[in-house]
Amino acid sequence: MVTTAPPLAGSQKLRVRSSSRGWTAAKRSFRRHWQLYLLIAVPIVWFAVFRYWPMSNAIIAFKDYNVVQGVWGSDWAGLEYFQRAFANPRFWTLVSNTFILSALVLIFSFPVPIVLAIALNEVRSTFFRNTVQMVTYAPYFISTVVVVSMTIVFLSPRMGLANQFLNIFGVQSIDFLSNPDLFRPIYVISDIWQTTGYAAVIYLAALAGIDPSLHEAARIDGATRVQKILHVDIPGILPTAMVILVLGVGNVMAIGFEKAFLLQNPLNLATSEILPTYTYKVGLLNADFSQAAAIGLFNAVINLVLLLVVNVVAKRTTGSGLW
Amino acid sequence: MVTTDAPRTETAAMTLARHPATRRERATRIKDPLIDRVFMIGVYVLLSVFLLVVLLPLVYIVANSLSDASAVSAGRVTFSRPPLTGRSTEFRSGTTATTALTRASSG
């Protein structure tokens, strides 16, 4: 018995025709620009292998992972590890520590490079400008371990320069790194010290892209330097600043592990213990991989939500965002 | 005999005479208002502070790493006169990469 397919409705016909047309166009485009497709294939493969494939292992957050059965063979545990993390009273302290530290870094690190870039842009002396730029840029190339070592030596209660300076004014030496209240300022200041020069270069590039005729017009109109900065320079670098801000907020919970871990000691744990350091201790030192993966996944989800929200807000308020 | 000052004065005067536009330009150049000059002083002060804040810890650490360990632990390393010995970079075997530095600082 021969069955005949029912005739296609008008909209279905159109959809089939348009999809086959799209496929034909794609094939034609591939044939014509195969070199470009080959070129883009390299980063796509790199992302797939080194970024997306490892992400699949985050499934151990929902499994009772053990090394013998492997990632895919371990028994399912559902949301047990998430519930266990949320039930731990220490967990929310860690979340707040991470959030406060990241927010402080973002709030204080964000405007300083803008100020530095604008100031450098105003300087006429090339020698002075290049010297300041080179010196402020240099710390970016120092590794975190060395920066932390420098911080420890600099703040040492016995031989540190900071305490020597305080002693001049009759102030007794302070053990900066043992005080939990001082951990966050130390972290933020060392971060500003290390990254300001590098971040300023990005803003300097944005300032260089501003049309000089705008400055000339402002000068002819009798604008002072401050007025030129407020009405030409700052609006000119605003899109760049917004992208950096959105990226910064998107990474607000993904604060670096190394510096907090290296500056940490038993006396300042109340503020220095953050999610990444806790994940390291739980996951690698206690070998509780599923618990560590659950905490890490929670952290990543918060980051993603923040990134999406800030991007929408930035697009609505300034018209520029990531996508 | 020609003095060293005479030609310089003469040249400047000659330049102005030959190029009257130069004199005119000077006369009509827009002078920065006071607020701009004050602002620029502020900019230079700010950048100098940036420069010192970044540079001093680096110099201090370099001074520490080139100083004698006992001087470092006693807090005697200063910006003005670091007790430079280079001993902190000596190898344990006794062969030193900084012998020349040590000799230079002691002699």
Side-chain angles (χ1 to χ4, degrees), chain A residues 219-237:
Chain A
R219 193 165 165 78
I220 289 165
D221 287 347
T224 60
R225 280 176 181 272
V226 179
Q227 285 170 328
K228 273 192 282 179
I229 288 169
L230 289 176
H231 300 291
V232 179
D233 289 342
I234 290 179
I237 61 171

Side-chain angles (χ1 to χ4, degrees), chain B residues 6 8-9 15 20 31 57 60 67 75 84 88 94 98 100:
Chain B
R8 203 187 303 156
T9 319
T15 312
K31 203 176 172 186
Y60 179 67
S67 300
L84 203 68
S88 53
T98 53

Side-chain angles (χ1 to χ4, degrees), chain B residues 35-82:
Chain B
I35 190 166
D36 276 2
R37 277 180 277 163
V38 172
F39 175 74
M40 282 315 292
I41 292 169
V43 165
Y44 276 98
V45 169
L46 181 76
L47 288 176
S48 303
V49 170
F50 263 110
L51 190 73
L52 287 175
V53 164
V54 177
L55 202 58
L56 287 184
L58 285 173
V59 173
Y60 179 67
I61 294 301
V62 172
N64 262 333
S65 63
L66 292 174
S67 300
D68 188 56
S70 58
V72 174
S73 56
R76 284 195 286 115
V77 180
T78 57
F79 288 109
S80 56
R81 195 180 58 82

